[in-house]
Amino acid sequence: MKTVSREVQDLSIKSLESTFNKLSNAYKSITEKGSNTILVKKRRNAVKVGLESLENAWNEREFFYDKEIISTSKDILQSIIPSIEKQIAKAKEGSPQKTVNERRLTAIKLAIESLDNRLK
């Protein structure tokens, strides 16, 4: 895995934690409405696996997922990238939304790299 600064590591972990919390809240809200939760649940779980992979690589935390879950999570995270890139393109330069999405994109790409390394 490529080496990144401690600042990028911290920002990436915080970004994925925030993304996980948002997806958890969305899952709860969708469940209460009785709507289909499959997509949100898959994304939430993939973000959690990616987050835990980075925390293991950088902070020596536990990581215990099998190759099937790692591969599925990696694929789901890759499928999220185009929508984040569209949001970045739409956001005004220097806006908080652009910054949040740029950090999220970096974090997801690092998580994908970390998961990919586990599959080798």
Side-chain angles (χ1 to χ4, degrees):
M1 192 166 158
K2 70 180 175 187
T3 305
V4 294
S5 70
R6 189 73 194 156
E7 180 184 14
V8 170
Q9 290 177 12
D10 292 343
L11 289 171
S12 294
I13 286 173
K14 285 178 186 170
S15 177
L16 289 179
E17 287 171 342
S18 172
T19 302
F20 177 76
N21 289 334
K22 286 180 181 184
L23 288 167
S24 294
N25 290 336
Y27 177 76
K28 182 180 176 190
S29 174
I30 291 170
T31 300
E32 289 169 359
K33 291 178 185 174
S35 300
N36 190 334
T37 60
I38 294 171
L39 180 63
V40 172
K41 186 176 179 182
K42 283 182 179 182
R43 286 183 175 182
R44 181 194 66 184
N45 292 344
V47 167
K48 184 174 192 277
V49 173
L51 171 62
E52 290 182 14
S53 182
L54 289 180
E55 286 183 327
N56 172 261
W58 295 332
N59 300 328
E60 299 178 15
R61 299 250 170 87
E62 284 190 25
F63 187 84
F64 53 87
Y65 297 97
D66 63 33
K67 291 201 182 284
E68 184 179 337
I69 291 173
I70 293 168
S71 179
T72 301
S73 297
K74 182 184 143 222
D75 292 344
I76 292 168
L77 291 175
Q78 286 175 319
S79 74
I80 297 172
I81 289 176
S83 66
I84 296 172
E85 289 174 334
K86 285 179 189 172
Q87 291 174 23
I88 291 170
K90 288 180 187 176
K92 292 181 182 173
E93 200 59 47
S95 70
Q97 197 60 38
K98 187 165 190 135
T99 303
V100 165
N101 281 313
E102 286 171 341
R103 287 182 184 158
R104 184 172 290 148
L105 182 62
T106 298
I108 287 176
K109 285 181 176 180
L110 288 168
I112 290 167
E113 181 183 350
S114 176
L115 293 172
D116 193 42
N117 287 341
R118 294 176 188 281
L119 295 172
K120 292 179 180 173

